Amino acid sequence: MIGKSKDPKRVLVLGDSILDHDIVCNAMGLSLETPTLKARLHSESYKFGGAANVVNNLLALGSFVTYVTPVAADKYESKYHKWEHPRLDLIPLSYQGQNIVKSRYWIKRGEHSYKHLQINQGTLFVDVEKALKTISDIVVEGIYDAIILVDYRGGLFSRNEVSRKLVEAISSTHSCVYAASQVSDRESQYSLFEGVDVICLNEQEARSELEDFSPIPEDILRLSRHLDTRVCVTLGSHGSTLHTRIDTVESADAYSVAVKDTCGAGDSFLAALVASDEDLEFSNKWAAASTQQIGTSVPNLEEVLAWE
């Protein structure tokens, strides 16, 4: 049993994948010639981020997942083709270009690690017509408990008529549809997700829609009216709050842990929210567990269930 859910979920995920490339080094000091930080390589790894991190979290939570995502024909393509799991059906949308990769350089000193540099690379997916055709076939053939749209601004969801048709095709199903869209330093595009059941966003993203937003029940309902859908807002160390199915506002405190890295915590929360039938307490705990390692780590379900 995961939160309020008694049975494993069948989930369709559509979103932009990211490969998280983590380079971890041990600090050595400064160069004698210039004030350049010197370090010795400790480890190097690739993990699935973006919507793919949501998928890995769902799998760890026992869900059966169909995942549709753009995959470019480049040197990183094989990492997706080698991604196998007995409960995963991966459907790549092939395109010419470069996969999105984020390389993060970490420097360790004693028990502490600090991210000193991040380099992003990759090209946007532009063949949204292919995505629309693929999704239209899938939603007709499949029966899902939930569908998750994860917009990491990789081009799959964009401000054009085809993307809107894509969202409309999914929103017209009988499944509960969740959406999340990264804002960062760009203009929000939540209006594209009109018709979904729940939009999940953090406090900064909420303020991109309502400048005077405060995580109080009145503003949660106001944000829901503004976006014309129920909302769930994550608040970091202050927990999360949700406009429930019965038109009330529910909140839960964060689970207190010593945070190592918050990268991917929002993805973990979103996966847990869906897998647990919108159990905020469990979702906060699962997200907290994801912060215990560097990079987009996936918690261990048995360990998290054993937490008090």
Side-chain angles (χ1 to χ4, degrees):
M1 183 173 179
I2 307 296
K4 299 174 184 177
S5 179
K6 297 180 180 179
D7 301 305
K9 298 289 186 183
R10 294 162 299 174
V11 186
L12 170 63
V13 179
L14 174 64
D16 306 296
S17 293
I18 296 171
L19 272 177
D20 285 324
H21 178 206
D22 288 302
I23 305 98
V24 181
C25 305
N26 290 317
M28 295 175 59
L30 293 178
S31 169
L32 294 177
E33 296 82 9
T34 61
T36 302
L37 183 64
K38 295 193 302 183
R40 187 180 301 278
L41 180 66
H42 175 268
S43 63
E44 185 175 9
S45 64
Y46 288 91
K47 297 176 183 176
F48 289 114
N53 187 38
V54 176
V55 171
N56 265 336
N57 276 269
L58 286 167
L59 294 172
L61 290 162
S63 299
F64 294 82
V65 184
T66 298
Y67 181 37
V68 182
T69 187
V71 177
D74 67 2
K75 64 180 181 180
Y76 299 106
E77 180 182 17
S78 61
K79 295 187 181 296
Y80 290 96
H81 293 313
K82 292 177 181 178
W83 186 13
E84 295 182 346
H85 191 283
R87 286 182 275 103
L88 172 64
D89 181 14
L90 175 62
I91 303 175
L93 299 170
S94 299
Y95 74 104
Q96 296 301 312
Q98 293 181 318
N99 286 294
I100 298 175
V101 181
K102 294 185 177 181
S103 298
R104 299 179 176 92
Y105 292 80
W106 297 84
I107 305 297
K108 293 181 63 177
R109 184 182 292 276
E111 296 297 317
H112 301 284
S113 297
Y114 304 92
K115 183 172 68 173
H116 281 260
L117 177 66
Q118 176 172 312
I119 299 175
N120 297 348
Q121 60 179 301
T123 54
L124 298 183
F125 175 77
V126 295
D127 193 359
V128 186
E129 289 278 7
K130 176 187 285 190
L132 177 58
K133 184 181 185 306
T134 301
I135 283 295
S136 297
D137 293 340
I138 290 173
V139 295
V140 168
E141 297 173 0
I143 300 174
Y144 302 97
D145 299 305
I147 299 176
I148 310 177
L149 310 179
V150 190
D151 175 25
Y152 264 90
R153 313 304 281 267
L156 185 55
F157 301 100
S158 55
R159 291 183 181 274
N160 61 49
E161 191 58 33
V162 181
S163 291
R164 186 165 294 283
K165 287 180 180 179
L166 179 61
V167 175
E168 287 175 354
I170 293 170
S171 300
S172 64
T173 68
H174 295 293
S175 305
C176 186
V177 182
Y178 297 79
S181 178
Q182 188 182 58
V183 174
S184 187
D185 57 350
R186 289 167 286 188
E187 183 183 356
S188 70
Q189 55 182 31
Y190 292 111
S191 59
L192 180 67
F193 298 97
E194 182 179 345
V196 305
D197 296 281
V198 182
I199 291 179
C200 191
L201 57 173
N202 61 34
E203 192 169 1
Q204 177 186 347
E205 291 163 346
R207 290 204 176 97
S208 74
E209 291 295 315
L210 299 177
E211 188 175 351
D212 60 343
F213 174 84
S214 179
I216 58 176
E218 293 80 2
D219 278 6
I220 294 297
L221 295 176
R222 187 162 64 99
L223 182 60
S224 288
R225 290 192 298 270
H226 174 73
L227 295 176
D228 197 25
T229 181
R230 292 194 295 122
V231 298
C232 181
V233 181
T234 57
L235 307 169
S237 61
H238 297 289
S240 58
T241 184
L242 168 72
H243 183 180
T244 70
R245 294 186 178 100
I246 59 173
D247 202 29
T248 60
V249 175
E250 175 186 339
S251 298
D253 292 334
Y255 193 89
S256 180
V257 294
V259 174
K260 292 184 178 180
D261 180 21
T262 60
C263 180
D267 301 327
S268 298
F269 178 91
L270 176 59
L273 186 73
V274 174
S276 68
D277 259 347
E278 301 184 9
D279 187 315
L280 288 187
E281 184 175 348
F282 176 82
S283 300
N284 289 346
K285 186 182 293 187
W286 186 260
S290 78
T291 69
Q292 297 305 285
Q293 297 182 52
I294 290 176
T296 48
S297 64
V298 177
N300 179 285
L301 181 57
E302 289 186 4
E303 291 179 1
V304 175
L305 291 175
W307 286 4
E308 296 181 355

